[in-house]
Amino acid sequence: MDDIARRQNLDRLDSLATVLDLIRTGRVHSKPEIARETGFGRTVVSMRVSELMDSGLIVEDGLAQSSGGRAPRRLSFSESRALLLVAELGATSISVGVATLTGEIIASRREPSAIADGPDVVLTRVETLFDDLVAANPGEYGEIWGIGIGVPGPVEYRSGRPVSPPIMPGWDAYPIRERLESRYGAPVWVDNDVNLMALGEHRAGIADGADNLVFVKIGSGIGAGLISNGRLQRGDQGVAGDVGHIEIEADSSVLCRCGNYGCAEAIAGGSALLQRAREHLAGGGSISGYDGTAASVTLDDLASASQRGDRFARDLFDGSARSVGRLLATLVNIQNPSLVVLGGAVAGSSDSYLAIVKEVVFGRSTALATRDLTIAMSRPSADIALRGAAQMIIEQLFSRDELGHWIDSHSPRALIATAV
Ligand SMILES: [Zn+2]
């Protein structure tokens, strides 16, 4: 391609992605509306609409509203043109689902599964569940256009491989993408679970409409997903938002699993709280309502004790909330979000957790950064990471860069050779 042809092709892809985006998100419904919204000439609009209809991405269904004269044909996105497969691999469970091209989860399944069993055992089960779901939802959907996987550890986003994930023995550098691409003939994207939860909250959860958002998960560990101007921030390698290892206590003697001292996660994460509860019990202390051994105490036991007013349990969670508040105050000053969403078992453990986090954040962040800031709890939903995984696929498939690689062949299968 010479320079002029290349330039023209980029212009074409730009306008194609723009037109698709407008119809896909329901902002326009006819050619005259596209022309008004984009400023493209009638010929360009007609050409792009035909190309999108040829690929089956949009259809004409009836008449749109007329702004005078004959009513134009109504254009709609074919959300059932193909299926997306999504999965969230948790530490102790897996969730899988099938989604439409708009990211709606049509069906999902969840079951216990240990990530520590390694990639072969876990992914074999995920594949079986995918196959069952696809078999149960046949017919109109046709082929699979993309697969999105969330894992509980750091992922190098470009390659889709986990990188030294602390709670995923056997998964370091495992080629999840290559395995699933060769099995399903569809492009695969992998990200960490907290990023997908942030995406899920952004598109479908309580964050609907907030384009500057921080999602913080306080579970066994601590992690965050950052959305800035409507885009998930992955950073250079994919680890943006991995805030659990930010030092929040100088001169701390608490050693983190990463090898440093004073990390947020080592002080305020669920594993750290459990460790302190075990030491407390082993040293002869008691926890209200709990009569098991020190080794078998769980976060649920601590949460129930805290609800009953047990002083030790309550102090653990309140202390965690204050630490998380300090961490968030820093994030709020860096990122200036309009919404912070708290998720994870520790954040949901006590009524006072959210109140304490708010108090610390509003006390420590600058006045301007908190002027329109809302801090809220995530609504517990098994689907949120699955929705996020679907959203990840959609953002990739329909971005200008990726669209250019497959639109002419009418199937994202063409991305497999180019996705590195
Ligand atoms: Zn650490």
Side-chain angles (χ1 to χ4, degrees):
M1 242 191 264
D2 63 23
D3 277 356
I4 294 172
R6 192 172 293 121
R7 179 73 244 156
Q8 283 172 340
N9 192 44
L10 279 180
D11 285 348
R12 172 187 155 243
L13 291 175
D14 251 341
S15 52
L16 205 55
T18 303
V19 171
L20 175 59
D21 220 40
L22 287 169
I23 299 171
R24 191 169 64 77
T25 52
R27 277 175 289 168
V28 303
H29 300 99
S30 67
K31 288 183 194 173
E33 283 178 26
I34 297 169
R36 253 200 311 280
E37 186 74 24
T38 60
F40 298 154
R42 278 172 54 183
T43 316
V44 171
V45 171
S46 284
M47 279 163 52
R48 299 303 165 254
V49 165
S50 320
E51 285 178 79
L52 291 168
M53 286 176 59
D54 286 348
S55 64
L57 279 169
I58 61 174
V59 289
E60 282 181 345
D61 57 352
L63 298 177
Q65 268 186 344
S66 166
S67 57
R70 198 154 53 97
R73 298 241 175 239
R74 187 187 156 86
L75 301 170
S76 299
F77 181 58
S78 316
E79 61 167 321
S80 314
R81 171 75 177 79
L83 278 178
L84 307 177
L85 300 180
V86 288
E88 183 203 11
L89 318 183
T92 57
S93 67
I94 49 178
S95 298
V96 300
V98 285
T100 65
L101 292 182
T102 50
E104 191 200 338
I105 307 291
I106 309 163
S108 63
R109 295 262 298 275
R110 184 185 180 86
E111 64 178 38
S113 167
I115 197 85
D117 286 345
D120 202 45
V121 171
V122 174
L123 290 176
T124 299
R125 185 61 192 155
V126 166
E127 288 160 358
T128 303
L129 291 170
F130 275 162
D131 294 346
D132 289 352
L133 284 176
V134 171
N137 294 275
E140 58 175 320
Y141 293 106
E143 58 185 321
I144 295 159
W145 267 15
I147 300 176
I149 308 286
V151 300
V155 173
E156 186 190 51
Y157 188 66
R158 259 186 296 273
S159 65
R161 296 184 182 210
V163 179
S164 308
I167 62 165
M168 300 171 65
W171 290 80
D172 188 22
Y174 187 85
I176 301 174
R177 167 177 292 157
E178 287 82 347
R179 172 174 173 144
L180 295 173
E181 282 187 347
S182 67
R183 191 171 201 281
Y184 291 98
V188 175
W189 290 276
V190 186
D191 204 347
N192 76 73
D193 54 356
V194 184
N195 275 353
L196 297 188
M197 286 176 198
L199 273 178
E201 285 285 358
H202 178 233
R203 299 296 174 180
I206 59 174
D208 221 10
D211 274 342
N212 290 288
L213 152 78
V214 173
F215 179 90
V216 197
K217 183 185 176 196
I218 308 120
S220 304
I222 293 178
L226 314 175
I227 287 177
S228 214
N229 296 322
R231 305 283 303 173
L232 179 68
Q233 304 301 307
R234 292 194 173 89
D236 192 44
Q237 305 293 328
V239 291
D242 201 356
V243 298
H245 303 283
I246 290 176
E247 182 188 71
I248 56 163
E249 274 185 17
D251 307 322
S252 169
S253 60
V254 182
L255 179 63
C256 181
R257 61 190 164 91
C258 74
N260 289 316
Y261 289 89
C263 293
E265 177 170 309
I267 288 162
S271 297
L273 304 189
L274 274 181
Q275 180 58 31
R276 259 171 275 155
R278 287 189 203 109
E279 287 164 8
H280 171 75
L281 289 167
S286 66
I287 289 173
S288 164
Y290 182 72
D291 54 9
T293 64
S296 56
V297 67
T298 65
L299 277 178
D300 277 348
D301 297 328
L302 292 178
S304 321
S306 173
Q307 303 287 358
R308 277 191 298 269
D310 180 87
R311 188 58 190 261
F312 174 80
R314 170 150 283 198
D315 284 352
L316 274 186
F317 289 119
D318 289 359
S320 166
R322 277 191 296 275
S323 298
V324 167
R326 284 201 298 279
L327 179 67
L328 280 175
T330 306
L331 279 180
V332 162
N333 278 337
I334 292 173
Q335 180 95 353
N336 189 201
S338 64
L339 178 66
V340 172
V341 183
L342 306 183
V346 173
S349 63
S350 79
D351 301 334
S352 53
Y353 203 94
L354 177 64
I356 294 172
V357 168
K358 279 184 181 173
E359 189 185 310
V360 176
V361 172
F362 283 92
R364 291 190 66 104
S365 304
T366 59
L368 188 56
T370 53
R371 192 165 67 185
D372 292 317
L373 175 67
T374 302
I375 304 178
M377 293 295 292
S378 172
R379 274 194 300 250
S381 155
D383 271 358
I384 209 75
L386 294 184
R387 285 172 185 278
Q391 204 53 50
M392 167 174 69
I393 305 170
I394 288 165
E395 286 183 2
Q396 294 287 345
L397 283 183
F398 302 131
S399 69
R400 187 192 76 173
D401 293 347
E402 303 283 14
L403 197 63
H405 288 297
W406 67 268
I407 188 76
D408 292 330
S409 68
H410 301 173
S411 165
R413 180 182 288 266
L415 289 178
I416 294 180
T418 57
V420 177

